[in-house]
Amino acid sequence: NLMGTRLAGSHVDTQEPKTNPLVCISDEPETLYKRLSILVKGHDKAVLDSYEYFAVLAAKELGISVEKVDKPPKTIERLTLLKSVHIYKKHRVQYEMRTHYMCLELKYLTSSTAAVYLEYVQRNLPEGVAMEVKKTKIEKIPEHIRKPVWDTLPQVEETEVKS
Amino acid sequence: TPLSPQTRAARVRVGKGDKLVTYEQAHPPHYIGHRKGWLSLHTGNLCGEAGAAQRAVEDAFLRRFLHGTFPGLLADAAVLKRRGNLLVICALLGRALPPHKLYFLQGYAETLLGHFYKCPVRLELQTVPARVPYKYL
């Protein structure tokens, strides 16, 4: 019987489920983030605009809701230095450094989503651009504040005040 | 002697008309951000970021090093980009040397600069037949 001999050595029934080594499944509950605030700073406004388009597109593709895209006004740091090496105090040179900002706020993320999004967005950060990330965590109210204090104290029996 | 009222910073003065001037050299520094781009891109000069002086010193050394390793070949100023730890140097060269010598110089520059600055250095070279003129001053 040839059919039996072919299947005799192969492990058709005992196949282990294939697990991707990059994906880890853990039982502990994930930390939730109410808001993820990304502030991007740069010298060139065009670079920041294109980065904003890229970050918003990435968030939409991953299904992350974008709360708002804010553009705070630019800060200019000015320096006034002496033009000459030795004297000539009245002749000066002025330099300025302009920093443009762009703030991206994302709503309601899990820690793994935030990790994936931040890793992708940070790997593609253009040169000359800096980023600051602020995460707002949602935590459960601690045990000792859950119920109001006057409910937890034992009932005090009213004693008659003897005059 | 008193100072002249005109600024002379990074400006090519008008001459007889035979001096070739590239786009980069022709525009004085107040056009940076408007008609010119930045030659060195790093986060040291942003508000609230540190390390501007170290980057400036590194940039000066890198430009002198490139001027020395590619003698007479640099067509235009090199653009230095810093992405995290990685330092990317984009340079335009003329075609005086054969390609295998250019590849050797590229590898030499990359390994030597990597050992100097303890960070990965990538040198991206492009050859042009001649310097691209914007004006003749």
Side-chain angles (χ1 to χ4, degrees), chain A residues 9-68:
Chain A
S10 64
H11 307 277
V12 174
D13 302 328
T14 58
Q15 262 197 3
E16 288 169 17
K18 289 176 193 171
T19 47
N20 191 351
L22 294 173
V23 175
C24 55
I25 304 168
S26 57
D27 286 331
E28 61 197 38
E30 286 205 7
T31 48
L32 302 171
Y33 293 114
K34 184 177 176 187
R35 196 181 296 136
L36 191 71
S37 171
I38 303 175
L39 177 69
V40 190
K41 300 186 274 194
H43 286 302
D44 199 356
K45 197 153 184 294
V47 167
L48 285 183
D49 289 341
S50 91
Y51 189 71
E52 169 212 340
Y53 174 74
F54 160 77
V56 163
L57 188 68
K60 273 189 201 157
E61 289 296 317
L62 285 174
I64 304 170
S65 53
V66 178
E67 194 176 336
K68 60 176 175 175

Side-chain angles (χ1 to χ4, degrees), chain A residues 25-146:
Chain A
I25 304 168
S26 57
D27 286 331
E28 61 197 38
E30 286 205 7
T31 48
L32 302 171
Y33 293 114
K34 184 177 176 187
R35 196 181 296 136
L36 191 71
S37 171
I38 303 175
L39 177 69
V40 190
K41 300 186 274 194
H43 286 302
D44 199 356
K45 197 153 184 294
V47 167
L48 285 183
D49 289 341
S50 91
Y51 189 71
E52 169 212 340
Y53 174 74
F54 160 77
V56 163
L57 188 68
K60 273 189 201 157
E61 289 296 317
L62 285 174
I64 304 170
S65 53
V66 178
E67 194 176 336
K68 60 176 175 175
V69 179
D70 189 27
K71 295 206 178 164
K74 61 178 186 272
T75 52
I76 308 180
E77 191 188 327
R78 290 199 176 100
L79 299 170
T80 314
L81 305 170
L82 296 172
K83 194 193 254 191
S84 168
V85 165
H86 184 43
I87 38 175
Y88 305 111
K89 192 64 175 269
K90 289 183 195 172
H91 301 84
R92 313 236 181 167
V93 178
Q94 287 186 316
Y95 297 106
E96 64 177 31
M97 287 174 278
R98 294 186 182 181
T99 311
H100 300 268
Y101 300 97
M102 194 267 293
C103 188
L104 193 64
E105 294 193 2
L106 307 167
K107 269 196 296 197
Y108 301 142
L109 299 164
T110 52
S111 66
S112 46
T113 320
V116 166
Y117 180 74
L118 283 176
E119 164 127 22
Y120 180 59
V121 140
Q122 280 164 6
R123 272 187 194 266
N124 290 308
L125 200 64
E127 48 281 327
V129 166
M131 191 203 274
E132 283 172 13
V133 176
K134 287 184 190 165
K135 300 177 187 171
T136 318
K137 248 201 273 193
I138 301 177
E139 279 184 2
K140 288 195 168 178
I141 304 178
E143 282 292 330
H144 57 276
I145 322 179
R146 281 255 172 100

Side-chain angles (χ1 to χ4, degrees), chain B residues 28 30 52 62 83-85 98 107 109:
Chain B
H30 63 266
L62 283 165
R83 268 173 232 150
N85 203 14

Side-chain angles (χ1 to χ4, degrees), chain B residues 10-15 17-28 75-76 131-137:
Chain B
R11 269 159 252 261
V12 182
R13 293 286 150 181
V14 167
D18 53 350
K19 190 164 43 174
L20 190 148
V21 165
T22 56
Y23 187 90
E24 185 69 44
Q25 291 164 337
H27 288 83
D76 214 342
R131 276 192 184 183
V132 182
Y134 176 69
K135 271 195 211 181
Y136 287 94
L137 288 178

